[in-house]
Amino acid sequence: MKRHALLALLVSLLCWAPARAQQHTVSGTVTSAADGTPLPGVNVVLLGTSTGTATDARGDYTLALPSSDGVLVFSFLGYEEQSVEIEGRSEIDVVMDAATQLLDDVVVIGYGEETRRNLASATTSVSAAEIQNIPVAGVDAALQGKTSGVQVLQNSGTPGGGISVRIRGHASVDASNQPLYVIDGVPMVSEDVSQFGFGGQDITSVTNISPSDIASVDILKDAAATSIYGSRGANGVVMITTKRGRAGRSQITFDSYVGTQNVIKELDLLSGREYIEFMNEAALNDDSDDVDAFGNPDTMAVNTDWQNEVFRSAPIRSYNLALSGGDERTRYYLSGSHFDQQGVVIGSGYDRVNARANLDFNATDRLYLRTSLALSKEANQRIENDNTIRGVLTNAIANQPSVPVYNPDGTFTGTADGLAYPNGVAIGTLNHAEALTYRAVGNVTAEYRVLPGLRLNARAGTDVLNVREDEYRSPLVGGDYAESVGGISQSAYNLAVRYTAEGFATYGTKLAGVHDVSVTGGTSVEMNNSERNYIRAVNFGNDYFQYVGDGAEIEDWDGGFSENNLISFFSRGSYIYDSRYILTANIRADGSSRFGRENRFGVFPAVALAWQVAEEPFLSRYIGKGHVASDVKLRASYGLTGNQEIGNYTWRDAWTSTAYGGSPALWPSQLENPGLTWESTRQWDVGFDLALFGGRVSLVADYWDKHTSDLLYFRPLTVTTGFSGITSNIGEVDNKGVEFLLKTTNFRPARPGGFLWETSLNFSHYTNNVAELYEDEFIATGFRSVNRATEGYPLGSFFMLKFLGVDPATGNAFYDNFDGGGTCLAAGTATEAEDAVFCDQDDVQFVGSPHPDFTGGLTNTFAFGGFDLNVFVLFSYGNEIFNATRAFADDGGSSLDNKLASVLDRWQQPGDVTDIPRASLDGDSGAGAITSRYIEDGSFLRLKTVTLGYALPEAIAARARARSLRVYVSTQNLVTITNYSGLDPESNSNGSGSNVALGTEFYTFPQPRTFTVGLTLGL
Amino acid sequence: MRRSLLLLALPVLLLAGCDSLLDVEPPSQITSTIAIEDANGARNALRGAYSALQTGSYYGGDFIFFGDLLADNTTHTGTFTSFAQADNNTLLADNGSVEGIYQDLYFAISVTNHLLERVPGLTDLGETEKNQILGEAHFLRALHYHNLVKLWGPVPLITSTIESVETASQVTQSPVDEVYAQILSDLQEAERLMTNATQTKQASLGAVKALLARVYLYRGEWAQAQAKADEVLAMGYDLADDYAALFTPGAETPEAIFLLDFTIQDFNNFGYYFQTRREVRPTPDLFDAYEEIDARRAWSIEASSSGRLTGTKFPTTTGEEDFHVIRLGEVILIRAEALARQGQLAEAVDAYNRIRIRAGLTPHVLGEDVTTQQDVLAAIWNERRLELAFEGDRWPDLLRTGRATEVLGIRECQTLFPIPESELNVAPNMTQNPPC
């Protein structure tokens, strides 16, 4: 066997040798299938060589070749690539079809591939070109706005930070809502496994893949597509396929961009003097004797712009080198890349180094082996963020402008110098926190062709993820806990490992010329475990000693092991009659160690039907090639999927360890629920794929309806039991929506280098409704518990007092007396009115939803000559944001925090008509109550990306011995149109793990505006 | 070829033992059935019952903070809304700290119920140790119920472990008298069972008697309160010479009756909230209530040059000083009050003068500094405020003596904690304490 392979390798190497002197000339004409006109500028290349030419103005070409065999490849933008065997011919004419990319793409589905034409389920694909060279760390961020049904929420601008990805709504209350990520066929670890919290923004395990290694991303949306992943399919599946080598001359691609990032806006806050005036007024309003409580504004010389002190212009750069090639037997794709992004807030950054080796080896005619191996190292420089009193940006916004950054001796100011919170500049400068992620993701697949049509596959994969974290908090940050204990250092280590082994067989055949049958069946085992430990020490000699071992005393530690296993059986059958009727059915049975013995196995079936209308003979007069509607496919599917993303031991009765006075102790921690099982989602979907005008317009549209029941829900119990709840299968959530993806070629060049204009528009709309929870109990969570999961409302709806205005007579805010009618005052409001009504809990009402009415993306691509221009607009409409920053920065003065400049319009004397309540140090104007006053319209339209590129003509590039060379300039977040008053409408202060606490912005790290220049060089 | 076939066989081989793959045994946890199955388990669970007192909602934080914040000893200057409500005496039913205190109290009760159910059946425990463990569990349960009843009034009385999730939701409040009856029966049982009279970091006979004295005082049974206080005093406890030593980590004092063993790992929030977070501060009113020379003020409150007050009673921001649940200082004041209430004014003044002298103050003279019974009581109450400042006693003490509305200028409807909203939602037979 080995000898055969070697021989093959040798033979193929010999074939490369340019020793043959034979000459053969091929000529011909290339025409368009649509109208028969000749196509100029079509590339004609001998496969695996650089020998090639292009058609002339009459569509003719002539090409001298070294031999009379081989394959000619014809390619032209906007048309389907064609490969033609030469077979000794000297004249080859080619008719080219306009690309109906949407219909003929190969889509990666679970345990197999299928052409889009033969697919009956709702899946959507994003090509490599759409996600490359975007200056973001992860593929999840790059997918934002690129296709329909996928809501990518950039939680913050934190470099390398977690991203919320929601495919078709939000189903779960307590289990995860993130999709399953499958890379090259193997489910990857995608959760945040770091142990240190830094406020709301988490990190993610999805960032480790270099976007430039990705060949395509296919997103499985409906049950017919996702049920093959059974208990993990309910949130959708993101199938990532990495690049592989192709037979032919080896190709070297070098990609790089460098750029700079800057903040888009700063909050307009009070100056030092304005702050003193405001706070003096707040004190005076409460107590008329309290004059100049905060000092004389006239002598206030300090005016610190804290935001300016922590924001910076930050570089970003990316380098990627890839080498690919091979022959019929052995092919390779090797790459290495480096991505480095500093954050626009001091102290933050993200750096990644990747290497990948993807090898394909046809061992025999029947046995095909492939391996995918990726190694990466990521370094996240982390800073506390969002809801914290130790944040860099948080404290920069919160601290008073009347205190300088530095003392006269050059040291940082602290709370002892009058700051309300520790100095954000000091935190960003003196504290250090790094999360290092080392990762190896790889798999080996063997495919054996037993008989024609029958293939056996075996795959073994592993994902080894090691996160090592170190954090040092300096005692020089005045007012931080670290100051009082002489500095803190903590170190954590987590090794998470996943092993996957699967085997499946696929049989496909065509019977009697019209019955296409294919069946896949297999089994898989997945084992996950993680081992973690953590230690924290305090009291350090000085800032030169920052590692945990240098501390004088251990303050805290932790350590443990956790595992879960999954065994599965799956099958898919597909029957296509005469290319017209497509029936596919999936089923998967999963057994999970996460569930009680009584209910470990779940079965997840799905079925899909599609009708390829254009293939129908009796409609051929109206639809099909040559007609306006060249392709029409109607689809419908129905199926069941599950969610098992809860803790590993949640169903068990448990007592856990604790300690008393340094001695071991035990206490009860969990009630048993042996019947605990999957959360299940049934989904139906109807949709159509439409191609018009020879594929110049394509439209894929779907209506879907998801009903999730048996929620994995932490059902609250009376705490008199000693337990606050028990994880049960209770509750129902409905999501339904419509989505479409429209692609048009608005302008097609008549000749090479002519003007091309393509548009891609995607639109997604969903409604979310919590249909049932336990006994009318609602969940209130998020900052100040304003987000609710409650029956009859969307998940995470905002429930607050409803702000109605400011009383011109008193300057007090007044609110809607929901249960009693009329108005009411917030608790604690100072009033002389005898009949004053105070708001109570019954006045808390629905005041907004964090869910958008619709989201989408619009991409326009223009090409002319060697130039290309890509303009991508992202939009979200109808979602509300809880601007929690205002809970302190616009609270009327009840906190010492600096205030937004909008308070300059506050009520100051009877008769003032305004919607900003009067200032009050005691908070007795009702301004600081957490109410709908802080709810804002979060709709936005953002010019997300504009890229202008220029590709050198190939002839010129060739002179520099290059295959291709393209240079470009690009900008991110150039323009944002929004009514939202905070730093960034794309915010989620609770991170990607939050299911109910949605739509809150709370000192959130904003996304930067980025300018990059880059080049792509092909050799 | 053979090798590749082997690869194909791999998943099949793995699946051969598939069902056992799903039987993952969780590390770091055991089931309730084996938690208390032997002497060692009983000792571990008993320590768990003490650990349950150390949480951030209970004796490690909020329960104690609220005892001063709702009254006039401290004021809120931080960012916690739940603390702001406490400071303003406008506790809402969804107050997170109130929820936390309520929950942690019942959690602590549940651990004692487990012990009281399981320990009697253990065969490898000696009779003395078994009785001591049961006595401590009874003591702790009484302590928890007293803490509940003084803040909430009528509360559910749970004396067994959960039977079923469904029946548990039928829980309802018991009248205050019934709760007190349970407390007294638990304490009397503890007094009967316990033999250890010396330990301080777990409950001893002295702790039982001291708590009995406290409970009798709350019930207005003065003679019994005095009797129990006398019994405690007869056990050899003595005041610490230095008030500061009571709150200094590592310092042992003869005054300790029952204190919680906090360490840098198992910490309280006092120093951190008072000195670093500055979530709460002493009120000027409290500062002024001390005499200039009072050693307790010097130790407990630091006044900056600008007049800003910082609570320094608990010196470690790491929260590692032990916390006295009950100490001799309080027992002496209980005795003084019981005496005063029974008209034995001279004895009462003598009693509380011990506390004044320790603080570096001149002793009161009956007829000069205080004359009437009301004077003596007022002096004792003032002494309680100063002696036990920041130890969570002020608010329940004002309620006990019926002075809360007068001293704090609040209404009667503001004197009971609300039953947490979340509890009412899952226990429909519960009724909310009357709101304003």
Side-chain angles (χ1 to χ4, degrees):
Chain A
M1 170 61 58
K2 209 174 261 175
R3 214 179 312 146
H4 283 285
L6 264 177
L7 202 63
L9 203 69
L10 273 173
V11 168
S12 57
L13 281 172
L14 283 171
C15 289
W16 274 1
R20 305 190 187 179
Q22 270 173 283
Q23 275 281 341
H24 181 80
T25 305
V26 180
S27 59
T29 308
V30 182
T31 51
S32 160
D35 47 14
T37 55
L39 285 175
V42 177
N43 277 315
V44 187
V45 178
L46 179 65
L47 182 69
T49 71
S50 58
T51 307
T53 182
T55 55
D56 62 18
R58 294 184 305 277
D60 294 338
Y61 72 95
T62 305
L63 187 60
L65 299 169
S67 81
S68 60
D69 49 18
V71 175
L72 287 184
V73 179
F74 297 81
S75 62
F76 187 41
L77 198 60
Y79 287 81
E80 267 173 53
E81 189 175 281
Q82 265 191 49
S83 301
V84 182
E85 294 268 358
I86 300 168
E87 294 172 323
R89 289 178 289 175
S90 56
E91 195 167 321
I92 298 177
D93 293 338
V94 169
V95 180
M96 292 188 75
D97 285 318
T100 53
Q101 205 187 21
L102 230 47
L103 295 182
D104 293 301
D105 270 353
V106 170
V107 178
V108 177
I109 54 180
Y111 309 99
E113 298 179 339
E114 188 57 274
T115 61
R116 184 165 289 284
R117 182 171 294 282
N118 288 341
L119 213 57
S121 61
T123 63
T124 184
S125 306
V126 177
S127 70
E130 290 175 275
I131 54 174
Q132 235 125 78
N133 299 329
I134 297 172
V136 291
V139 60
D140 43 3
L143 287 174
Q144 191 180 30
K146 294 293 156 57
T147 191
S148 61
V150 183
Q151 188 192 8
V152 176
L153 193 67
Q154 188 100 42
N155 295 322
S156 76
T158 311
I163 306 274
S164 297
V165 178
R166 299 286 177 265
I167 295 172
R168 293 191 163 178
H170 305 230
S172 201
V173 174
D174 285 335
S176 172
N177 275 325
Q178 293 278 58
L180 175 71
Y181 288 87
V182 176
I183 176 157
D184 292 324
V186 181
M188 69 181 252
V189 177
S190 56
E191 58 268 22
D192 175 13
V193 299
S194 74
Q195 296 178 66
F196 294 167
F198 284 84
Q201 304 306 332
D202 46 357
I203 58 177
T204 155
S205 305
V206 181
T207 46
N208 87 301
I209 313 158
S210 170
S212 49
D213 283 341
I214 293 174
S216 69
V217 178
D218 298 288
I219 295 159
L220 314 184
K221 298 193 289 194
D222 69 349
T226 62
S227 73
I228 199 77
Y229 286 105
S231 65
R232 296 173 295 177
N235 297 332
V237 184
V238 179
M239 308 288 292
I240 297 171
T241 307
T242 57
K243 290 177 179 167
R244 311 199 72 84
R246 272 192 260 181
R249 197 183 74 117
S250 52
Q251 298 192 337
I252 298 171
T253 308
F254 177 70
D255 254 317
S256 175
Y257 60 81
V258 294
T260 179
Q261 313 158 82
N262 287 289
V263 284
I264 297 171
K265 78 184 261 197
E266 289 185 8
L267 291 178
D268 192 6
L269 297 169
L270 296 184
S271 69
R273 186 197 163 100
E274 288 166 339
Y275 172 78
I276 297 294
E277 284 170 349
F278 178 84
M279 295 307 280
N280 281 344
E281 184 180 312
L284 200 64
N285 281 346
D286 296 341
D287 177 358
S288 55
D289 297 332
D290 206 358
V291 177
D292 282 0
F294 286 76
N296 182 351
D298 295 334
T299 61
M300 174 40 63
V302 180
N303 182 21
T304 307
D305 182 350
W306 286 99
Q307 292 180 88
N308 192 41
E309 297 287 336
V310 300
F311 282 137
R312 64 181 175 190
S313 175
I316 184 168
R317 58 204 172 107
S318 166
Y319 307 98
N320 179 66
L321 184 66
L323 173 66
S324 71
D327 55 32
E328 270 75 41
R329 290 226 91 130
T330 312
R331 294 166 301 283
Y332 56 88
Y333 172 85
L334 306 170
S335 77
S337 66
H338 180 208
F339 174 81
D340 181 13
Q341 179 183 15
Q342 284 188 25
V344 291
V345 178
I346 58 171
S348 63
Y350 174 80
D351 186 289
R352 178 186 61 219
V353 181
N354 291 73
R356 172 171 289 278
N358 286 353
L359 301 175
D360 294 72
F361 180 52
N362 294 76
T364 69
D365 289 346
R366 293 181 154 195
L367 180 64
Y368 165 50
L369 299 170
R370 57 197 253 156
T371 66
S372 312
L373 174 65
L375 303 173
S376 62
K377 179 194 165 197
E378 297 168 84
N380 287 74
Q381 308 297 330
R382 307 184 69 185
I383 51 174
E384 291 231 9
N385 55 71
D386 296 87
N387 185 3
T388 171
I389 54 163
R390 209 165 40 235
V392 177
L393 179 58
T394 306
N395 294 23
I397 294 168
N399 268 326
Q400 307 97 312
S402 51
V403 180
V405 180
Y406 302 97
N407 289 310
D409 64 0
T411 58
F412 287 108
T413 53
T415 53
D417 305 294
L419 284 176
Y421 308 98
N423 184 324
V425 185
I427 295 169
T429 310
L430 300 171
N431 292 354
H432 301 286
E434 185 173 61
L436 284 175
T437 306
Y438 297 91
R439 189 154 189 195
V441 184
N443 74 71
V444 184
T445 304
E447 182 179 296
Y448 186 70
R449 203 166 311 181
V450 185
L451 299 164
L454 176 63
R455 288 172 295 149
L456 298 181
N457 286 273
R459 184 184 290 143
T462 180
D463 186 345
V464 181
L465 172 62
N466 173 214
V467 179
R468 205 201 80 203
E469 298 165 271
D470 283 296
E471 182 185 11
Y472 178 69
R473 282 161 54 189
S474 170
L476 301 178
V477 177
D480 186 26
Y481 174 68
E483 184 192 25
S484 68
V485 292
I488 301 168
S489 179
Q490 49 184 2
S491 175
Y493 182 96
N494 191 347
L495 182 63
V497 184
R498 168 174 290 182
Y499 303 103
T500 311
E502 51 199 27
F504 57 96
T506 302
Y507 181 70
T509 188
K510 196 160 195 166
L511 302 170
V514 288
H515 307 281
D516 251 316
V517 180
S518 105
V519 183
T520 300
T523 158
S524 113
V525 177
E526 197 183 289
M527 290 175 286
N528 299 283
N529 68 65
S530 72
E531 185 164 10
R532 66 193 153 73
N533 50 52
Y534 147 70
I535 192 166
R536 168 161 142 142
V538 294
N539 210 349
F540 290 76
N542 58 44
D543 261 5
Y544 291 111
F545 295 100
Q546 301 201 344
Y547 276 92
V548 69
D550 301 320
E553 198 172 3
I554 299 297
E555 193 181 66
D556 194 14
W557 64 83
D558 192 18
F561 176 82
S562 183
E563 66 179 321
N564 76 287
N565 297 328
L566 188 72
I567 56 178
S568 313
F569 305 89
F570 52 86
S571 180
R572 174 174 49 234
S574 155
Y575 170 72
I576 303 171
Y577 174 72
D578 195 23
S579 309
R580 277 183 278 167
Y581 309 107
I582 306 167
L583 168 70
T584 60
N586 291 330
I587 191 162
R588 182 169 178 128
D590 272 334
S592 169
S593 67
R594 280 179 169 160
F595 296 110
R597 189 164 258 296
E598 299 167 12
N599 265 325
R600 277 181 181 167
F601 276 88
V603 178
F604 305 93
V607 62
L609 268 170
W611 179 27
Q612 204 64 264
V613 182
E615 302 289 338
E616 201 63 70
F618 71 89
L619 290 169
S620 62
R621 285 201 303 177
Y622 313 103
I623 304 174
K625 281 211 165 108
H627 297 287
V628 170
S630 45
D631 245 319
V632 181
K633 179 161 73 174
L634 304 179
R635 293 177 280 106
S637 75
Y638 181 83
L640 202 65
T641 50
N643 188 339
Q644 63 139 7
E645 295 312 307
I646 54 164
N648 288 344
Y649 311 116
T650 307
W651 68 274
R652 287 172 179 269
D653 156 41
W655 279 53
T656 51
S657 62
T658 173
Y660 179 65
S663 297
L666 280 175
W667 60 17
S669 66
Q670 193 167 272
L671 280 174
E672 182 182 47
N673 182 357
L676 190 68
T677 192
W678 327 95
E679 177 172 308
S680 74
T681 295
R682 61 159 177 71
Q683 181 180 188
W684 57 264
D685 178 295
V686 288
F688 62 84
D689 300 2
L690 183 66
L692 303 176
F693 310 112
R696 283 185 67 166
V697 175
S698 70
L699 175 67
V700 178
D702 284 271
Y703 175 81
W704 52 269
D705 187 322
K706 267 167 106 168
H707 176 75
T708 303
S709 56
D710 291 341
L711 292 182
L712 286 166
Y713 183 71
F714 190 69
R715 166 190 163 180
L717 284 182
T718 162
V719 297
T720 56
T721 57
F723 300 94
S724 57
I726 178 171
T727 300
S728 312
N729 294 105
I730 286 181
E732 296 170 22
V733 173
D734 289 322
N735 286 277
K736 52 190 77 171
V738 290
E739 63 206 26
F740 68 77
L741 174 63
L742 173 69
K743 292 192 174 183
T744 60
T745 306
N746 309 325
F747 229 94
R748 200 158 61 187
R751 37 188 60 254
F755 182 63
L756 173 78
W757 175 22
E758 292 177 325
T759 299
S760 168
L761 170 69
N762 67 76
F763 172 96
S764 309
H765 157 80
Y766 70 88
T767 57
N768 177 287
N769 181 46
V770 177
E772 192 184 312
L773 289 180
Y774 178 68
E775 303 249 324
D776 294 336
E777 168 80 326
F778 60 83
I779 297 177
T781 181
F783 180 60
R784 300 279 167 88
S785 303
V786 301
N787 292 101
R788 282 196 191 172
T790 187
E791 282 178 27
Y793 291 92
L795 204 57
S797 292
F798 299 115
F799 276 78
M800 301 171 167
L801 293 180
K802 188 172 176 184
F803 176 68
L804 293 180
V806 172
D807 185 343
T810 62
N812 288 334
F814 60 92
Y815 301 95
D816 180 31
N817 188 4
F818 189 53
D819 59 341
T823 64
C824 59
L825 297 173
T829 306
T831 175
E832 282 160 17
E834 294 275 312
D835 56 347
V837 179
F838 288 91
C839 309
D840 59 23
Q841 265 145 330
D842 297 332
D843 300 320
V844 171
Q845 57 187 293
F846 173 82
V847 295
S849 164
H851 298 277
D853 293 338
F854 60 83
T855 57
L858 171 67
T859 306
N860 275 292
T861 309
F862 308 90
F864 183 73
F867 290 94
D868 60 85
L869 174 68
N870 181 289
V871 182
F872 167 44
V873 173
L874 180 75
F875 53 85
S876 173
Y877 180 82
N879 57 304
E880 263 98 24
I881 296 178
F882 170 32
N883 185 343
T885 306
R886 286 176 57 201
F888 293 92
D890 183 14
D891 62 354
S894 56
S895 71
L896 294 177
D897 295 44
N898 194 11
K899 307 297 170 220
L900 290 165
S902 57
V903 304
L904 294 173
D905 296 329
R906 67 190 174 275
W907 184 96
Q908 286 181 294
Q909 58 195 15
D912 282 358
V913 176
T914 171
D915 58 357
I916 313 281
R918 90 188 140 81
S920 163
L921 211 53
D922 297 338
D924 60 17
S925 66
I930 302 300
T931 69
S932 67
R933 209 161 74 82
Y934 302 138
I935 296 290
E936 300 184 28
D937 179 7
S939 306
F940 69 89
L941 186 144
R942 182 163 253 182
L943 186 50
K944 194 79 190 171
T945 311
V946 181
T947 304
L948 176 65
Y950 176 70
L952 239 56
E954 279 179 34
I956 296 173
R959 234 176 279 163
R961 295 185 168 271
R963 186 162 43 85
S964 63
L965 174 65
R966 176 173 172 266
V967 292
Y968 61 91
V969 292
S970 181
T971 171
Q972 290 273 304
N973 303 325
L974 188 62
V975 179
T976 304
I977 300 169
T978 182
N979 288 326
Y980 182 63
S981 74
L983 287 172
D984 193 338
E986 288 192 76
S987 290
N988 173 13
S989 74
N990 297 300
S992 48
S994 65
N995 292 348
V996 181
L998 302 167
T1000 301
E1001 194 257 305
F1002 197 16
Y1003 306 108
T1004 306
F1005 194 133
Q1007 289 177 62
R1009 181 177 292 142
T1010 307
F1011 292 95
T1012 52
V1013 296
L1015 69 84
T1016 303
L1017 177 65
L1019 295 171
Chain B
M1 177 71 86
R2 233 170 285 144
R3 212 175 303 165
S4 29
L5 279 175
L6 205 63
L7 198 66
L8 288 168
L10 185 71
V12 179
L13 288 175
L14 281 170
L15 278 181
C18 75
D19 218 33
S20 65
L21 261 178
L22 298 184
D23 287 323
V24 294
E25 275 313 309
S28 305
Q29 66 184 56
I30 56 175
T31 62
S32 58
T33 47
I34 57 170
I36 310 180
E37 63 174 358
D38 56 13
N40 193 40
R43 292 176 199 129
N44 280 330
L46 180 64
R47 282 190 292 265
Y50 286 100
S51 190
L53 275 83
Q54 293 183 300
T55 65
S57 289
Y58 202 7
Y59 278 100
D62 294 359
F63 171 73
I64 299 303
F65 282 114
F66 272 31
D68 290 282
L69 202 50
L70 278 144
D72 49 2
N73 278 357
T74 55
T75 183
H76 176 243
T77 52
T79 58
F80 298 155
T81 327
S82 62
F83 276 43
Q85 287 178 8
D87 196 14
N88 296 330
N89 293 94
T90 53
L91 292 177
L92 298 176
D94 63 353
N95 184 292
S97 297
V98 171
E99 267 179 27
I101 297 168
Y102 188 81
Q103 179 174 338
D104 283 11
L105 273 161
Y106 276 105
F107 173 70
I109 288 167
S110 84
V111 187
T112 63
N113 285 337
H114 276 285
L115 282 162
L116 292 170
E117 277 179 15
R118 300 297 301 275
V119 171
L122 301 182
T123 52
D124 62 340
L125 265 175
E127 202 58 26
T128 313
E129 186 181 5
K130 183 187 278 188
N131 284 341
Q132 179 67 27
I133 291 174
L134 289 169
E136 291 184 40
H138 278 293
F139 166 85
L140 289 173
R141 191 164 73 183
L143 175 69
H144 303 318
Y145 274 114
H146 190 228
N147 287 337
L148 276 166
V149 78
K150 41 183 206 189
L151 298 176
W152 275 275
V155 289
L157 204 49
I158 310 289
T159 53
S160 60
T161 58
I162 178 173
E163 263 174 45
S164 88
V165 164
E166 271 59 43
T167 55
S169 67
Q170 298 307 312
V171 66
T172 180
Q173 281 128 311
S174 296
V176 169
D177 285 346
E178 275 179 34
V179 179
Y180 268 107
Q182 179 66 42
I183 293 168
L184 286 171
S185 111
D186 268 331
L187 286 174
Q188 281 147 6
E189 189 65 4
E191 196 175 24
R192 188 180 70 77
L193 291 166
M194 250 193 230
T195 43
N196 190 321
T198 52
Q199 64 183 1
T200 55
K201 299 197 172 182
Q202 292 187 194
S204 65
L205 203 51
V208 176
K209 291 177 188 298
L211 185 57
L212 268 168
R214 183 195 279 177
V215 172
Y216 283 129
L217 188 75
Y218 270 78
R219 295 302 279 165
E221 296 176 21
W222 315 119
Q224 280 160 295
Q226 184 199 336
K228 286 297 158 193
D230 283 335
E231 285 178 39
V232 174
L233 281 157
M235 292 179 80
Y237 296 103
D238 198 359
L239 284 181
D241 292 336
D242 181 7
Y243 184 73
L246 292 169
F247 312 101
T248 305
E252 288 190 8
T253 69
E255 186 170 343
I257 297 175
F258 172 42
L259 43 66
L260 290 174
D261 192 352
F262 284 105
T263 65
I264 190 170
Q265 291 93 25
D266 227 350
F267 51 88
N268 65 58
N269 290 331
F270 306 131
Y272 176 55
Y273 281 15
F274 269 113
Q275 289 151 51
T276 305
R277 255 199 96 96
R278 297 179 189 281
E279 199 61 44
V280 291
R281 291 180 194 280
T283 57
D285 186 62
L286 174 67
F287 185 77
D288 296 339
Y290 287 102
E291 293 173 44
E292 282 290 330
I293 54 164
D294 197 321
R296 295 170 300 190
R297 185 174 88 174
W299 172 258
S300 305
I301 304 175
E302 183 185 284
S304 73
S305 52
S306 63
R308 197 165 72 160
L309 304 177
T310 303
T312 53
K313 187 168 192 173
F314 306 100
T316 69
T317 54
T318 46
E320 57 192 290
E321 64 282 272
D322 294 341
F323 183 84
H324 294 271
V325 174
I326 197 159
R327 58 185 168 92
L328 190 67
E330 183 190 341
V331 174
I332 289 172
L333 289 168
I334 290 170
R335 182 169 170 271
E337 184 170 342
L339 288 164
R341 297 276 199 175
Q342 298 173 90
Q344 297 166 262
L345 299 185
E347 291 88 338
V349 174
D350 280 349
Y352 78 75
N353 270 341
R354 278 187 75 184
I355 302 293
R356 288 185 57 83
I357 292 163
R358 194 257 301 266
L361 307 175
T362 51
H364 279 174
V365 176
L366 187 64
E368 288 177 24
D369 302 292
V370 285
T371 309
T372 64
Q373 184 189 38
Q374 208 48 48
D375 289 348
V376 175
L377 282 174
I380 292 167
W381 292 336
N382 186 50
E383 220 53 61
R384 278 190 80 104
R385 180 188 188 189
L386 305 179
E387 176 69 19
L388 302 173
F390 314 150
E391 293 181 55
D393 186 64
R394 179 66 172 164
W395 168 253
D397 206 47
L398 288 174
L399 294 181
R400 173 179 70 86
T401 54
R403 293 175 297 147
T405 48
E406 166 208 332
V407 172
L408 304 174
I410 59 172
R411 289 178 286 170
E412 189 60 35
C413 57
Q414 288 170 291
T415 54
L416 287 183
F417 277 21
I419 301 288
E421 184 78 28
S422 54
E423 190 65 14
L424 295 174
N425 288 334
V426 289
N429 298 339
M430 295 283 292
T431 50
Q432 184 56 283
N433 284 330
C436 288

